[in-house]
Amino acid sequence: MTIRILPAIGDPDAARAVSSLLHQLPDAEPAPTVGDSAALLHALAGAAAQGAGAAAAGVPSAAGQPSAVEALPEVVLVHERIGPTPALELIREVALRFPAVGVVLITTDAGPALFSAAMDAGARGIVGMPLGYDELAARVQAAAQWSAGVRVHLGGSPEAVSGPAGTLVTVTGAKGGVGTTVTAVQLALAARAAGRSVALVDLDLQSGDVASYLDVQFRRSVVDLAGIQDISVRVLQDAVHDHHTGLGLLLAPEEGERGEEVDDRAARQIIGALRSRYEVVLVDCGSQMQSANAAAVELADLALLVTTPDVVAVRAAKRQVRLWDRLQIRKAEDTTTVVNRLTRNTEIQPPLVAKATGTQVARTHVPAAFKELQPCVDAGRMQDLDSRSTVKQALCALAAELGLGDSPSVRQGRGSHRARPTLTGRKRKAITPGAAPGSGGIPGQASGAASGAGPVPGPRFGVRRGSAAAAGPGPFDPSGPYEEG
């Protein structure tokens, strides 16, 4: 979300310092500085009037709906030496006349008395002089998020406030080895390929493997953010690794015992900071529940539970769902189960998984095709998985089903059956009855037909490979049965 900032600063030196820092803030759109209180109130009133005029004329605002509130800046910075109206009185008047604007006071005396007086006047924060990038960024972000929340209740567009809180998706395994990390990585890559900004967080704190799957060596981890009370933009940028695929990676610690430093409070704060910076935050929670990943599942907009279609894994998924329900983390009906490594001959099919766990089961299932994954897994470069892989196509389709990515394009070809992989990942070959595969024989015609013996019907499902049942050119029969290649 773009944060519009209007600075009201009477001192020229302070105005230059503030303007320089504001232009360094990400997603910030600072307006020209106003020099006194009258100019500030006039600018705010003019913006509100312009928005109201657009609403009356039916002209949609930048947020998509006509609203006077949406025309106002999200944040106003008021310097303590503004005049002629004193700073605290000016803050009180702005808060009363324009309640959707978050006001931040800039002062050299950030003591408890002034802080209390500023909060009573309606300020949303105080920044001390001399100005620091981290403190200014944190106060601006907090005031902008507060302003966005208030605008929902004042008639603003709901779409306008969706920016500060990105979509949070958690991926949890029913048990170890069911493909949790592969699913999380590929969903993150699919969302990034769709043009969204994506953060991939490894909250499998004791045995996280996101770094191994993406060939990353980075000394920062989620533990480095655990002890910070106020996570600023600069601190977050230092902890997040910018992968060459475009993903922002927040990795698990190399020392598994340090994972205990990340509690539920730290997890909530870290996830909140990430959601304010990324459109999609995807969390790999592993298969072991701790306070940190339990908090992530509780906060998630979409909680995925990965399982394989075998008795042991389905029972583990059922235990996981019951655990979440007992701890009041998440209800079963609010959980989406992803069935991984599904084959046609598996006795446990997705409807049975849904019945056993009481969860929703994703329509897209991931086939069992480890041979496609093995080279990328061994090389630690999951981002290099071939786009023609049935696993990759299934996970891209799953991302599209969940609203995280675009629908995978259908490959063009003469025969549509060649563009549809089987559930097992093996290609299908069209054969014709009464002829060996690839012989091109005429359906239902044997060599004795020319002698007047009449057509000899061929076997129902073709003949064995290598048999010389028929020969000769003939048309291709796309309606014939298939044989596994």
Side-chain angles (χ1 to χ4, degrees), residues 229-310:
Q229 297 295 328
D230 191 2
I231 301 177
S232 65
V233 177
R234 181 68 60 84
V235 171
L236 191 64
Q237 289 175 344
D238 290 341
V240 174
H241 173 70
D242 293 327
H243 197 252
H244 66 83
T245 59
L247 299 178
L249 303 180
L250 187 56
L251 305 173
E254 292 185 1
E255 303 85 5
E257 66 274 11
R258 295 196 63 193
E260 298 179 357
E261 301 177 24
V262 185
D263 56 8
D264 57 340
R265 181 206 61 81
R268 293 175 187 274
Q269 188 175 8
I270 292 169
I271 290 173
L274 289 170
R275 294 181 75 179
S276 67
R277 296 282 297 129
Y278 294 91
E279 296 177 82
V280 177
V281 179
L282 212 145
V283 182
D284 179 3
C285 294
S287 58
Q288 298 296 323
M289 277 293 100
Q290 301 170 342
S291 59
N293 47 25
V297 173
E298 183 180 1
L299 294 172
D301 300 305
L302 183 61
L304 303 180
L305 181 61
V306 181
T307 185
T308 50
D310 56 83

Side-chain angles (χ1 to χ4, degrees), residues 181-242:
T181 303
V182 172
T183 302
V185 169
Q186 290 298 328
L187 289 178
L189 291 172
R192 184 69 190 101
R196 295 171 173 83
S197 58
V198 182
L200 178 58
V201 186
D202 195 347
L203 278 186
D204 188 1
L205 297 174
Q206 291 186 352
S207 54
D209 284 325
V210 169
S212 299
Y213 276 95
L214 291 175
D215 191 22
V216 173
Q217 293 182 354
F218 191 59
R219 61 187 180 88
R220 300 285 187 183
S221 71
V222 65
V223 176
D224 296 313
L225 299 177
I228 300 177
Q229 297 295 328
D230 191 2
I231 301 177
S232 65
V233 177
R234 181 68 60 84
V235 171
L236 191 64
Q237 289 175 344
D238 290 341
V240 174
H241 173 70
D242 293 327

